[in-house]
mmCIF file with all atom_site columns, all heavy atoms in Angstrom:
data_model
loop_
_atom_site.group_PDB
_atom_site.id
_atom_site.type_symbol
_atom_site.label_atom_id
_atom_site.label_alt_id
_atom_site.label_comp_id
_atom_site.label_asym_id
_atom_site.label_entity_id
_atom_site.label_seq_id
_atom_site.pdbx_PDB_ins_code
_atom_site.Cartn_x
_atom_site.Cartn_y
_atom_site.Cartn_z
_atom_site.occupancy
_atom_site.B_iso_or_equiv
_atom_site.pdbx_formal_charge
_atom_site.auth_seq_id
_atom_site.auth_comp_id
_atom_site.auth_asym_id
_atom_site.auth_atom_id
_atom_site.pdbx_PDB_model_num
ATOM 1   N N   . VAL A 1 217 ? 10.330 -29.827 -2.343  1.00 90.00 ? 636 VAL A N   1
ATOM 2   C CA  . VAL A 1 217 ? 9.443  -29.621 -1.205  1.00 90.00 ? 636 VAL A CA  1
ATOM 3   C C   . VAL A 1 217 ? 8.236  -30.535 -1.349  1.00 90.00 ? 636 VAL A C   1
ATOM 4   O O   . VAL A 1 217 ? 7.617  -30.616 -2.409  1.00 90.00 ? 636 VAL A O   1
ATOM 5   C CB  . VAL A 1 217 ? 8.985  -28.151 -1.107  1.00 90.00 ? 636 VAL A CB  1
ATOM 6   C CG1 . VAL A 1 217 ? 8.134  -27.936 0.144   1.00 90.00 ? 636 VAL A CG1 1
ATOM 7   C CG2 . VAL A 1 217 ? 10.189 -27.211 -1.087  1.00 90.00 ? 636 VAL A CG2 1
ATOM 8   N N   . VAL A 1 218 ? 7.907  -31.247 -0.270  1.00 91.00 ? 637 VAL A N   1
ATOM 9   C CA  . VAL A 1 218 ? 6.797  -32.200 -0.262  1.00 91.00 ? 637 VAL A CA  1
ATOM 10  C C   . VAL A 1 218 ? 5.556  -31.522 0.334   1.00 91.00 ? 637 VAL A C   1
ATOM 11  O O   . VAL A 1 218 ? 5.606  -30.959 1.434   1.00 91.00 ? 637 VAL A O   1
ATOM 12  C CB  . VAL A 1 218 ? 7.155  -33.455 0.553   1.00 91.00 ? 637 VAL A CB  1
ATOM 13  C CG1 . VAL A 1 218 ? 5.990  -34.451 0.546   1.00 91.00 ? 637 VAL A CG1 1
ATOM 14  C CG2 . VAL A 1 218 ? 8.423  -34.113 -0.002  1.00 91.00 ? 637 VAL A CG2 1
ATOM 15  N N   . ILE A 1 219 ? 4.450  -31.591 -0.388  1.00 89.00 ? 638 ILE A N   1
ATOM 16  C CA  . ILE A 1 219 ? 3.219  -30.949 0.041   1.00 89.00 ? 638 ILE A CA  1
ATOM 17  C C   . ILE A 1 219 ? 2.095  -31.978 0.135   1.00 89.00 ? 638 ILE A C   1
ATOM 18  O O   . ILE A 1 219 ? 1.839  -32.729 -0.810  1.00 89.00 ? 638 ILE A O   1
ATOM 19  C CB  . ILE A 1 219 ? 2.798  -29.835 -0.946  1.00 89.00 ? 638 ILE A CB  1
ATOM 20  C CG1 . ILE A 1 219 ? 3.875  -28.748 -1.011  1.00 89.00 ? 638 ILE A CG1 1
ATOM 21  C CG2 . ILE A 1 219 ? 1.463  -29.222 -0.532  1.00 89.00 ? 638 ILE A CG2 1
ATOM 22  C CD1 . ILE A 1 219 ? 4.083  -28.003 0.287   1.00 89.00 ? 638 ILE A CD1 1
ATOM 23  N N   . ARG A 1 220 ? 1.424  -32.003 1.287   1.00 85.00 ? 639 ARG A N   1
ATOM 24  C CA  . ARG A 1 220 ? 0.296  -32.905 1.516   1.00 85.00 ? 639 ARG A CA  1
ATOM 25  C C   . ARG A 1 220 ? -0.994 -32.093 1.648   1.00 85.00 ? 639 ARG A C   1
ATOM 26  O O   . ARG A 1 220 ? -0.945 -30.874 1.801   1.00 85.00 ? 639 ARG A O   1
ATOM 27  C CB  . ARG A 1 220 ? 0.551  -33.753 2.763   1.00 85.00 ? 639 ARG A CB  1
ATOM 28  C CG  . ARG A 1 220 ? 1.727  -34.734 2.566   1.00 85.00 ? 639 ARG A CG  1
ATOM 29  C CD  . ARG A 1 220 ? 1.815  -35.756 3.686   1.00 85.00 ? 639 ARG A CD  1
ATOM 30  N NE  . ARG A 1 220 ? 2.821  -36.798 3.379   1.00 85.00 ? 639 ARG A NE  1
ATOM 31  C CZ  . ARG A 1 220 ? 4.072  -36.745 3.680   1.00 85.00 ? 639 ARG A CZ  1
ATOM 32  N NH1 . ARG A 1 220 ? 4.521  -35.697 4.343   1.00 85.00 ? 639 ARG A NH1 1
ATOM 33  N NH2 . ARG A 1 220 ? 4.910  -37.728 3.349   1.00 85.00 ? 639 ARG A NH2 1
ATOM 34  N N   . PRO A 1 221 ? -2.149 -32.736 1.585   1.00 85.00 ? 640 PRO A N   1
ATOM 35  C CA  . PRO A 1 221 ? -3.415 -31.991 1.680   1.00 85.00 ? 640 PRO A CA  1
ATOM 36  C C   . PRO A 1 221 ? -3.478 -31.099 2.921   1.00 85.00 ? 640 PRO A C   1
ATOM 37  O O   . PRO A 1 221 ? -3.146 -31.533 4.021   1.00 85.00 ? 640 PRO A O   1
ATOM 38  C CB  . PRO A 1 221 ? -4.467 -33.107 1.741   1.00 85.00 ? 640 PRO A CB  1
ATOM 39  C CG  . PRO A 1 221 ? -3.833 -34.251 1.012   1.00 85.00 ? 640 PRO A CG  1
ATOM 40  C CD  . PRO A 1 221 ? -2.373 -34.180 1.351   1.00 85.00 ? 640 PRO A CD  1
ATOM 41  N N   . GLY A 1 222 ? -3.878 -29.843 2.706   1.00 83.00 ? 641 GLY A N   1
ATOM 42  C CA  . GLY A 1 222 ? -4.005 -28.889 3.802   1.00 83.00 ? 641 GLY A CA  1
ATOM 43  C C   . GLY A 1 222 ? -2.752 -28.092 4.106   1.00 83.00 ? 641 GLY A C   1
ATOM 44  O O   . GLY A 1 222 ? -2.801 -27.131 4.881   1.00 83.00 ? 641 GLY A O   1
ATOM 45  N N   . ASP A 1 223 ? -1.614 -28.472 3.513   1.00 86.00 ? 642 ASP A N   1
ATOM 46  C CA  . ASP A 1 223 ? -0.353 -27.771 3.786   1.00 86.00 ? 642 ASP A CA  1
ATOM 47  C C   . ASP A 1 223 ? -0.328 -26.390 3.123   1.00 86.00 ? 642 ASP A C   1
ATOM 48  O O   . ASP A 1 223 ? -0.856 -26.205 2.025   1.00 86.00 ? 642 ASP A O   1
ATOM 49  C CB  . ASP A 1 223 ? 0.843  -28.571 3.275   1.00 86.00 ? 642 ASP A CB  1
ATOM 50  C CG  . ASP A 1 223 ? 1.159  -29.784 4.130   1.00 86.00 ? 642 ASP A CG  1
ATOM 51  O OD1 . ASP A 1 223 ? 0.539  -29.921 5.203   1.00 86.00 ? 642 ASP A OD1 1
ATOM 52  O OD2 . ASP A 1 223 ? 2.020  -30.592 3.710   1.00 86.00 ? 642 ASP A OD2 1
ATOM 53  N N   . LYS A 1 224 ? 0.320  -25.436 3.800   1.00 85.00 ? 643 LYS A N   1
ATOM 54  C CA  . LYS A 1 224 ? 0.637  -24.161 3.181   1.00 85.00 ? 643 LYS A CA  1
ATOM 55  C C   . LYS A 1 224 ? 1.949  -24.289 2.414   1.00 85.00 ? 643 LYS A C   1
ATOM 56  O O   . LYS A 1 224 ? 2.859  -24.985 2.849   1.00 85.00 ? 643 LYS A O   1
ATOM 57  C CB  . LYS A 1 224 ? 0.776  -23.062 4.242   1.00 85.00 ? 643 LYS A CB  1
ATOM 58  C CG  . LYS A 1 224 ? -0.529 -22.541 4.809   1.00 85.00 ? 643 LYS A CG  1
ATOM 59  C CD  . LYS A 1 224 ? -0.270 -21.373 5.749   1.00 85.00 ? 643 LYS A CD  1
ATOM 60  C CE  . LYS A 1 224 ? -1.578 -20.809 6.293   1.00 85.00 ? 643 LYS A CE  1
ATOM 61  N NZ  . LYS A 1 224 ? -1.308 -19.653 7.214   1.00 85.00 ? 643 LYS A NZ  1
ATOM 62  N N   . ILE A 1 225 ? 2.037  -23.630 1.299   1.00 87.00 ? 644 ILE A N   1
ATOM 63  C CA  . ILE A 1 225 ? 3.240  -23.678 0.470   1.00 87.00 ? 644 ILE A CA  1
ATOM 64  C C   . ILE A 1 225 ? 4.174  -22.551 0.903   1.00 87.00 ? 644 ILE A C   1
ATOM 65  O O   . ILE A 1 225 ? 3.776  -21.396 0.971   1.00 87.00 ? 644 ILE A O   1
ATOM 66  C CB  . ILE A 1 225 ? 2.870  -23.571 -1.025  1.00 87.00 ? 644 ILE A CB  1
ATOM 67  C CG1 . ILE A 1 225 ? 2.070  -24.830 -1.425  1.00 87.00 ? 644 ILE A CG1 1
ATOM 68  C CG2 . ILE A 1 225 ? 4.105  -23.421 -1.895  1.00 87.00 ? 644 ILE A CG2 1
ATOM 69  C CD1 . ILE A 1 225 ? 1.482  -24.778 -2.814  1.00 87.00 ? 644 ILE A CD1 1
ATOM 70  N N   . ALA A 1 226 ? 5.425  -22.910 1.207   1.00 86.00 ? 645 ALA A N   1
ATOM 71  C CA  . ALA A 1 226 ? 6.355  -21.960 1.827   1.00 86.00 ? 645 ALA A CA  1
ATOM 72  C C   . ALA A 1 226 ? 7.032  -21.029 0.833   1.00 86.00 ? 645 ALA A C   1
ATOM 73  O O   . ALA A 1 226 ? 7.268  -19.863 1.135   1.00 86.00 ? 645 ALA A O   1
ATOM 74  C CB  . ALA A 1 226 ? 7.415  -22.729 2.627   1.00 86.00 ? 645 ALA A CB  1
ATOM 75  N N   . VAL A 1 227 ? 7.401  -21.527 -0.340  1.00 89.00 ? 646 VAL A N   1
ATOM 76  C CA  . VAL A 1 227 ? 8.145  -20.740 -1.327  1.00 89.00 ? 646 VAL A CA  1
ATOM 77  C C   . VAL A 1 227 ? 7.571  -20.990 -2.719  1.00 89.00 ? 646 VAL A C   1
ATOM 78  O O   . VAL A 1 227 ? 6.732  -21.872 -2.910  1.00 89.00 ? 646 VAL A O   1
ATOM 79  C CB  . VAL A 1 227 ? 9.656  -21.094 -1.314  1.00 89.00 ? 646 VAL A CB  1
ATOM 80  C CG1 . VAL A 1 227 ? 10.284 -20.739 0.020   1.00 89.00 ? 646 VAL A CG1 1
ATOM 81  C CG2 . VAL A 1 227 ? 9.871  -22.575 -1.641  1.00 89.00 ? 646 VAL A CG2 1
ATOM 82  N N   . ASP A 1 228 ? 8.018  -20.219 -3.711  1.00 88.00 ? 647 ASP A N   1
ATOM 83  C CA  . ASP A 1 228 ? 7.591  -20.421 -5.088  1.00 88.00 ? 647 ASP A CA  1
ATOM 84  C C   . ASP A 1 228 ? 8.337  -21.610 -5.689  1.00 88.00 ? 647 ASP A C   1
ATOM 85  O O   . ASP A 1 228 ? 9.496  -21.884 -5.330  1.00 88.00 ? 647 ASP A O   1
ATOM 86  C CB  . ASP A 1 228 ? 7.867  -19.176 -5.939  1.00 88.00 ? 647 ASP A CB  1
ATOM 87  C CG  . ASP A 1 228 ? 7.082  -17.963 -5.474  1.00 88.00 ? 647 ASP A CG  1
ATOM 88  O OD1 . ASP A 1 228 ? 6.319  -18.098 -4.505  1.00 88.00 ? 647 ASP A OD1 1
ATOM 89  O OD2 . ASP A 1 228 ? 7.233  -16.884 -6.080  1.00 88.00 ? 647 ASP A OD2 1
ATOM 90  N N   . GLY A 1 229 ? 7.677  -22.299 -6.612  1.00 90.00 ? 648 GLY A N   1
ATOM 91  C CA  . GLY A 1 229 ? 8.354  -23.426 -7.230  1.00 90.00 ? 648 GLY A CA  1
ATOM 92  C C   . GLY A 1 229 ? 7.613  -23.977 -8.429  1.00 90.00 ? 648 GLY A C   1
ATOM 93  O O   . GLY A 1 229 ? 6.599  -23.428 -8.881  1.00 90.00 ? 648 GLY A O   1
ATOM 94  N N   . GLU A 1 230 ? 8.129  -25.095 -8.940  1.00 91.00 ? 649 GLU A N   1
ATOM 95  C CA  . GLU A 1 230 ? 7.562  -25.766 -10.112 1.00 91.00 ? 649 GLU A CA  1
ATOM 96  C C   . GLU A 1 230 ? 7.275  -27.224 -9.761  1.00 91.00 ? 649 GLU A C   1
ATOM 97  O O   . GLU A 1 230 ? 8.142  -27.931 -9.236  1.00 91.00 ? 649 GLU A O   1
ATOM 98  C CB  . GLU A 1 230 ? 8.535  -25.691 -11.289 1.00 91.00 ? 649 GLU A CB  1
ATOM 99  C CG  . GLU A 1 230 ? 8.007  -26.300 -12.583 1.00 91.00 ? 649 GLU A CG  1
ATOM 100 C CD  . GLU A 1 230 ? 9.008  -26.196 -13.709 1.00 91.00 ? 649 GLU A CD  1
ATOM 101 O OE1 . GLU A 1 230 ? 9.503  -25.076 -13.975 1.00 91.00 ? 649 GLU A OE1 1
ATOM 102 O OE2 . GLU A 1 230 ? 9.314  -27.250 -14.324 1.00 91.00 ? 649 GLU A OE2 1
#
Side-chain angles (χ1 to χ4, degrees):
V636 184
V637 180
I638 299 296
R639 293 191 172 89
D642 286 352
K643 283 185 178 180
I644 294 172
V646 296
D647 297 359
E649 183 180 308

